[in-house]
Amino acid sequence: MRTNNFTLLNKPGETTWFRGSQSSTLDLTWASNNSLNNISYWGIREDLHVGSDHLPITWTLTLNHNLIPPSLPKYRTEDDLSTPWSKTFTSLLMERWTFPDYISNEETFLEATNIFHECMIEASDLTLQPKPPKPKPSFWYNNLCRSGVRKVRDSKRQYKLDPSDTTLQELKTNTTKYKRTIRLSKKLGAAKFTNKVTRDNIWRLNSWYRGARRTYTPILIDGTTGDIRVYPEDKANLMHNAWFTPPQPIPGCFEFEGTNHNTRRFKPVTFREIEEILKSTSNTSAPGSTGIGYKILKWVLTAAPDEMTAIVKASIRIGTHHPRWKSSLVVVIPKAKKPSYSDPKAWRPIQLLDTLGKLIEKIMAKRIIYEIGRHNLTPLEQFGGCSNSSCYDAITSLTHDIQTAWKKNLIASFLVVDVKGFFDHIHHNRLIYVLWEKGFCTQTCKWVQSFVLERQAAIRLDDYVSTLKPINIGLAQGSPISPVLACLYALEPLE
């Protein structure tokens, strides 16, 4: 190890293992010379010992590259903070808001939205600052477990002072009792947790069973050149190029001009429409890079209903999605059962977006879904992206067709086609043309065009965040309107 420039951090003869009266140094910590400057607080921690014959070893590793906290910055949103936050936000907004309730042009809309966001963020910084993170024990860990740990540690100290058969037997007894207490507490905790699960939150059970997971990206391999990518910046660039390759030109003109003969009339957005969509959102949804979640937006709608309604209405009526809503933070999730995770395509990009922009996307998604059903824009064989249909309906329809064929003594078969990277390769101009051809109003077509064009994304890998880079193709996986637009994009092959 020393010939390969590794340094041993243990002190010679320092005990890391014991059993009865025997002790030895079995657990060693080696560090490369390049990492020595980043390691601190190395030590053998007897205070963390809970009964094993190995002593815990801990150290702190400080990295020098661009770091962000392990989780996105989230503001505290307890109900008792709503009043002070609303007062602060209203005070800031009254000082800066000089716009009419009816915003008529794009320039005014952009300026008003910037001020609105600044007030939300500033009010949150002043009143909703998060507490310093504290380690949380598992939900099953109770006072009996804490008492058991104390007894094991006390017995261990007593045995080290007086290594006799009596103290050794006491240590073994307390260790056995502690392990039994842990098993019992886990069973009781699991039963208590499952009793709280209802039909509405059944997926909490799956999340609890799997536990908190965090997957670190391995070394990536460029499939084109065969080069390896080790450093986070290089891996992020490789993933961006693999996912967001510039689109190839499609022959034909797909620009919409004027009004199509099938174009339907635009209906203005109402306050009730905004209120109902916002009410249906989850307070636990991941916020964008600003940390403003849906719960804060609900406070905003109560504190400044006119101003928020003016922004939402203007965005849809003018056909402009604000640039700050088009900048996303991409987190990567490994796809299941891939032979190798050194391939960038073995990871799925999920874009975390600003919640105010997502609220508008939800409104537009609901409107487009309504028009799809109202005017029969999709064939009966299409189930995704349509109202009052789901995966269960698709399975039921398939089962019915199979059973019908069997009754006629026929052999039933069906072809399953998986379109690789469908969301990531949707051509923007083609999508807008499909919307225009299907008779969507000019405001909707312009808004979707603004939504998909000039997007930017920063990729987060482990503890590294890349710089913002443009995305010229595909739809944001994580946006509520993306599945609906993808459904419309695929209409021609189905028809």
Side-chain angles (χ1 to χ4, degrees):
M1 295 293 288
R2 295 187 186 279
T3 57
N4 290 312
N5 297 321
F6 280 84
T7 301
L8 181 64
L9 301 184
N10 300 63
K11 295 179 181 178
E14 200 167 21
T15 300
T16 63
W17 172 89
F18 73 93
R19 180 173 295 170
S21 59
Q22 300 178 353
S23 62
S24 181
T25 305
L26 294 183
D27 306 300
L28 304 178
T29 306
W30 294 88
S32 66
N33 290 345
N34 291 334
S35 65
L36 283 176
N37 293 331
N38 303 80
I39 296 176
S40 57
Y41 304 111
W42 184 95
I44 298 174
R45 299 287 300 278
E46 294 189 17
D47 58 310
L48 299 179
H49 183 262
V50 291
S52 170
D53 50 7
H54 291 264
L55 295 173
I57 298 175
T58 64
W59 64 88
T60 299
L61 180 63
T62 305
L63 303 178
N64 294 325
H65 58 257
N66 183 17
L67 286 176
I68 64 171
S71 59
L72 289 173
K74 283 190 176 181
Y75 294 110
R76 296 170 56 196
T77 55
E78 292 89 341
D79 292 337
D80 59 336
L81 295 175
S82 113
T83 301
W85 184 91
S86 298
K87 289 182 178 179
T88 305
F89 170 73
T90 304
S91 175
L92 293 171
L93 195 63
M94 289 178 63
E95 294 175 2
R96 307 173 189 179
W97 187 268
T98 58
F99 308 98
D101 291 342
Y102 185 90
I103 299 175
S104 58
N105 58 73
E106 182 176 351
E107 183 180 357
T108 305
F109 163 73
L110 296 177
E111 185 181 356
T113 305
N114 284 332
I115 290 177
F116 198 77
H117 269 279
E118 290 170 3
C119 292
M120 284 196 297
I121 295 172
E122 190 171 338
S124 301
D125 289 338
L126 292 173
T127 60
L128 306 179
Q129 278 298 323
K131 295 179 180 178
K134 294 182 180 179
K136 293 183 178 180
S138 299
F139 66 91
W140 52 263
Y141 197 82
N142 53 31
N143 290 331
L144 291 176
C145 298
R146 296 184 181 93
S147 176
V149 170
R150 286 194 295 268
K151 289 181 179 179
V152 170
R153 290 175 178 171
D154 292 342
S155 300
K156 179 179 175 297
R157 294 191 191 98
Q158 189 63 32
Y159 175 72
K160 294 187 77 173
L161 295 174
D162 179 21
S164 62
D165 293 339
T166 303
T167 54
L168 176 60
Q169 184 60 39
E170 184 181 358
L171 176 59
K172 291 181 177 179
T173 301
N174 287 334
T175 302
T176 303
K177 288 182 179 179
Y178 173 67
K179 291 179 179 179
R180 189 182 301 120
T181 301
I182 292 293
R183 288 194 295 270
L184 179 61
S185 298
K186 285 184 176 181
K187 290 181 180 179
L188 294 175
K192 186 177 180 180
F193 182 89
T194 52
N195 286 336
K196 293 181 179 179
V197 175
T198 63
R199 183 178 63 181
D200 297 331
N201 59 7
I202 187 67
W203 291 109
R204 288 183 58 212
L205 191 61
N206 185 60
S207 301
W208 163 75
Y209 171 74
R210 292 178 177 271
R213 292 170 294 169
R214 189 174 184 187
T215 305
Y216 290 88
T217 52
I219 293 174
L220 299 181
I221 300 177
D222 189 336
T224 305
T225 63
D227 297 336
I228 64 172
R229 301 290 187 267
V230 179
Y231 296 104
E233 182 178 0
D234 297 334
K235 290 194 287 187
N237 291 335
L238 179 61
M239 284 185 165
H240 188 280
N241 294 334
W243 292 328
F244 310 120
T245 306
Q248 298 295 327
I250 299 179
C253 179
F254 301 123
E255 298 293 335
F256 67 95
E257 297 180 0
T259 302
N260 188 1
H261 64 281
N262 294 322
T263 298
R264 293 175 290 277
R265 185 171 58 88
F266 171 72
K267 295 182 180 180
V269 181
T270 64
F271 174 79
R272 183 178 179 183
E273 189 177 356
I274 300 171
E275 187 179 35
E276 288 180 353
I277 295 292
L278 184 56
K279 187 178 180 180
S280 67
T281 58
S282 172
N283 294 335
T284 59
S285 294
S289 58
T290 60
I292 302 295
Y294 281 122
K295 191 168 186 178
I296 296 179
L297 283 189
K298 293 171 184 176
W299 296 350
V300 170
L301 191 61
T302 302
D306 295 337
E307 291 81 357
M308 184 171 175
T309 302
I311 287 176
V312 174
K313 284 184 175 182
S315 173
I316 297 174
R317 185 181 63 253
I318 298 171
T320 301
H321 203 56
H322 197 281
R324 70 187 308 153
W325 301 335
K326 297 192 282 186
S327 297
S328 61
L329 179 64
V330 178
V331 295
V332 296
I333 299 176
K335 297 179 181 178
K337 299 179 182 180
K338 291 296 179 180
S340 173
Y341 289 95
S342 296
D343 182 1
K345 293 296 181 71
W347 300 79
R348 179 176 289 106
I350 302 297
Q351 299 188 35
L352 302 182
L353 305 164
D354 186 276
T355 48
L356 182 54
K358 284 178 69 175
L359 175 65
I360 297 175
E361 293 161 28
K362 283 178 177 288
I363 294 172
M364 292 301 297
K366 187 174 181 179
R367 286 177 156 232
I368 292 175
I369 288 175
Y370 170 78
E371 289 199 43
I372 289 175
R374 176 69 177 81
H375 302 284
N376 299 317
L377 301 181
T378 57
L380 293 176
E381 294 81 6
Q382 173 67 32
F383 294 93
C386 300
S387 58
N388 301 319
S389 65
S390 65
C391 182
Y392 296 109
D393 298 310
I395 295 173
T396 302
S397 176
L398 176 62
T399 304
H400 174 269
D401 292 342
I402 293 174
Q403 291 176 345
T404 301
W406 287 350
K407 287 182 178 180
K408 296 179 180 180
N409 295 322
L410 299 175
I411 297 175
S413 63
F414 68 97
L415 177 66
V416 179
V417 179
D418 181 15
V419 181
K420 186 177 181 181
F422 181 55
F423 269 60
D424 300 331
H425 293 87
I426 288 179
H427 197 284
H428 294 159
N429 287 342
R430 177 69 186 175
L431 172 63
I432 306 304
Y433 177 76
V434 170
L435 287 170
W436 182 73
E437 276 291 303
K438 291 297 177 181
F440 287 93
C441 63
T442 305
Q443 289 87 343
T444 298
C445 293
K446 288 184 63 178
W447 183 90
V448 173
Q449 186 178 48
S450 176
F451 167 73
V452 298
L453 296 180
E454 299 179 353
R455 300 194 68 89
Q456 290 182 307
I459 297 178
R460 172 176 176 165
L461 291 177
D462 306 331
D463 293 326
Y464 170 83
V465 176
S466 69
T467 56
L468 285 170
K469 291 187 176 181
I471 302 176
N472 299 317
I473 194 171
L475 296 174
Q477 295 196 45
S479 169
I481 199 174
S482 292
V484 184
L485 296 179
C487 165
L488 290 170
Y489 187 79
L491 278 182
E492 283 192 349
L494 291 174
E495 294 172 342

